[in-house]
Amino acid sequence: MTSVRRHAARGLVALAAAVAVSAPLAAPAAAAPATTEAPAAAQSVAGKPVVRPGVVGHRGASGYRPEHTLAAYELAAAQGADVIEPDLVATKDGVLVVRHENLIDGTTDVAQRPEFADRKTTKVVDGVALTGWFTEDFTLAELKTLRAKERLPQVRPESASYDGRYQVPTFEEVLELRERLSTRHGRQIGVIPEIKHPTYFDSIGLSMEERVVELLDEHGLNKRNAPATVQSFELANLRDLNENLGLKAETVFLSSVNGAPYDSVAAGDTVRDYDFYATAAGMREVRAAGVDTLGPAFAQIITKQKDGSMGEETAFVSLAHRAGLEVVPYTFRAENQFLYTEFRSSTDPNAQGDMVGMIQPFLDAGIDGFFTDPPDLGVQAVDTWMQGKKEHPGRGVGKTAQRGLQGR
């Protein structure tokens, strides 16, 4: 995956930044230990190349700052993330902004704004009825008056202490930030935007794909081997991007342990669910659509038992690599409630457990990178694994290590 593994191989490691240019109320993120030099991209173990897996700052450093804020991306890079991830939704006036969902109750203070009380409504998004406030009912100027807040305040009180400081950034602001930070740190910073709910946004006349390509073009990122990759939970829009809309940057097809892509649902296709795309036949279809990487839930790689413990490794990674696809799973989080039971530190669901230890068998399984909320711990996990290569040359040197950057 260009923006993750091969970017890491070229030294795409750290991001340190500023808050939104147009956010005078936003305070700078607190200083954090920064990774000032890129780690070694590859090493030779017993004569075999080992490529350093990439670390994606999921929604920024969303374990420490309100997600999808420029401060969160700043901290992610300072902690050593190779790539930052903005999720894209559209405004009423067609501007691409960065929110995990178009429903923004949980990530902004919109519910506390009396001037927008009448915007509360119920909509059906991807077949699910949702009630609240939606980005497509606001102009960019209106959204800019809102302030971001922590989505999981009981889980992450430190992040919640930054509520009210940061604006909702645009995708263009994130791309500009990437450029400034790459200059500041003397290395490229990767960006991996996700186009959210593409079928839904198409249905309301706010298609995002064309504007994504335009912005990547404007910022010199619409080319192979650029530090940019476009991702989606639907395959149809990725195929359209690759075949019809002029996207030259690489693409990632995201999947889940259950359910189906909404483009399949909307088309009445009962075959092409996420289970299908975890098979060899499904992965061949993904590759034929011009996709480069799969982004599965981590439980699709090593299963979760009914008691919450770690189960068996599946054939997902080996099948994907055989199909010419790289594998970058999501999302590793540090709190006990998100870990397999053997990596939990206590019965407190919000206390931090051993995320670093839990990632090790996934790296052994051959993943090419991963998404994580605390990038500093993600980097530590990769450092630990790479050190283990030196100390135990046979450990995990197989599928991906021998494959290196070949077969693409």
Side-chain angles (χ1 to χ4, degrees):
M1 178 180 182
T2 293
S3 67
V4 179
R5 191 173 194 125
R6 278 186 272 154
H7 284 172
R10 292 201 304 269
L12 282 161
V13 179
L15 173 68
V19 290
V21 173
S22 58
L25 299 183
T35 301
T36 57
E37 295 185 5
Q43 64 185 40
S44 178
V45 176
K48 300 174 181 177
V50 180
V51 180
R52 182 182 178 89
V55 176
V56 181
H58 183 241
R59 311 178 197 174
S62 56
Y64 306 109
R65 297 291 184 274
E67 64 187 41
H68 291 314
T69 59
L70 295 189
Y73 300 134
E74 172 188 1
L75 186 56
Q79 291 184 339
D82 301 296
V83 183
I84 55 173
E85 186 215 21
D87 291 336
L88 307 182
V89 292
T91 67
K92 183 178 182 178
D93 44 351
V95 179
L96 300 186
V97 293
V98 180
R99 289 289 89 189
H100 177 54
E101 296 289 347
N102 54 329
L103 179 70
I104 55 174
D105 307 20
T107 60
T108 73
D109 61 357
V110 66
Q112 285 72 54
R113 296 298 188 94
E115 66 270 33
F116 297 129
D118 62 347
R119 306 287 176 92
K120 186 175 184 180
T121 187
T122 298
K123 300 188 180 192
V124 177
V125 180
D126 293 358
V128 179
L130 302 171
T131 299
W133 289 261
F134 297 83
T135 59
E136 64 268 25
D137 295 330
F138 293 78
T139 65
L140 176 62
E142 290 172 330
L143 277 179
K144 282 293 189 180
T145 68
L146 303 179
R147 291 297 177 267
K149 68 176 186 178
E150 168 56 42
R151 185 173 53 90
L152 302 170
Q154 301 305 315
V155 179
R156 294 167 176 170
E158 176 191 352
S159 177
S161 71
Y162 291 85
D163 286 0
R165 302 191 187 195
Y166 310 117
Q167 286 186 332
V168 174
T170 66
F171 182 38
E172 187 160 25
E173 286 172 337
V174 174
L175 293 178
E176 291 169 349
L177 175 63
R178 189 208 73 81
E179 293 168 3
R180 293 196 302 272
L181 295 172
S182 295
T183 298
R184 180 183 302 178
H185 290 280
R187 55 182 177 264
Q188 289 292 332
I189 307 300
V191 62
I192 183 168
E194 178 189 343
I195 299 175
K196 302 293 293 192
H197 307 298
T199 295
Y200 169 77
F201 276 103
D202 279 352
S203 75
I204 61 172
L206 289 171
S207 175
M208 293 184 280
E209 286 76 15
E210 296 83 357
R211 186 57 179 150
V212 168
V213 175
E214 289 174 2
L215 284 169
L216 293 179
D217 272 330
E218 290 172 12
H219 290 267
L221 297 173
N222 187 26
K223 53 190 175 184
R224 301 296 289 186
N225 298 319
T229 304
V230 179
Q231 54 179 340
S232 174
F233 272 98
E234 297 182 20
L235 186 59
N237 69 320
L238 295 179
R239 182 184 290 110
D240 198 29
L241 281 162
N242 287 325
E243 296 179 358
N244 303 314
L245 299 179
L247 182 71
K248 300 179 181 66
E250 295 193 5
T251 51
V252 181
F253 178 53
L254 301 163
S255 65
S256 178
V257 292
N258 50 48
Y262 194 70
D263 56 334
S264 293
V265 175
D269 187 339
T270 59
V271 173
R272 288 168 176 80
D273 58 9
Y274 288 126
D275 284 343
F276 168 75
Y277 287 118
T279 67
M283 291 180 184
R284 286 195 295 270
E285 282 198 16
V286 171
R287 192 70 180 110
V291 172
D292 304 278
T293 298
L294 291 173
F298 63 69
Q300 292 180 269
I301 295 172
I302 300 178
T303 60
K304 184 178 183 179
Q305 303 283 67
K306 289 182 179 180
D307 65 358
S309 63
M310 180 173 281
E312 297 296 319
E313 180 183 338
T314 71
F316 193 101
V317 174
S318 59
L319 289 174
H321 287 169
R322 197 176 305 157
L325 295 159
E326 294 193 351
V327 180
V328 181
Y330 67 89
T331 300
F332 292 97
R333 298 177 167 101
E335 295 85 6
N336 285 325
Q337 62 185 287
F338 304 118
L339 303 173
Y340 290 148
T341 53
E342 52 265 63
F343 299 97
R344 296 174 187 170
S345 60
S346 68
T347 58
D348 180 355
N350 298 327
Q352 287 202 355
D354 184 14
M355 189 190 88
V356 171
M358 181 169 142
I359 291 175
Q360 301 306 302
F362 289 88
L363 294 169
D364 286 343
I367 64 173
D368 301 284
F370 56 89
F371 293 80
T372 183
D373 286 2
D376 54 341
L377 297 181
V379 171
Q380 183 182 337
V382 174
D383 288 344
T384 299
W385 187 75
M386 294 293 285
Q387 183 60 39
K389 287 277 181 280
K390 297 177 182 178
E391 297 175 356
H392 306 286
R395 174 174 173 262
V397 181
K399 300 178 263 191
T400 299
Q402 294 180 36
R403 174 175 170 272
L405 301 178
Q406 305 303 313
R408 295 189 56 78

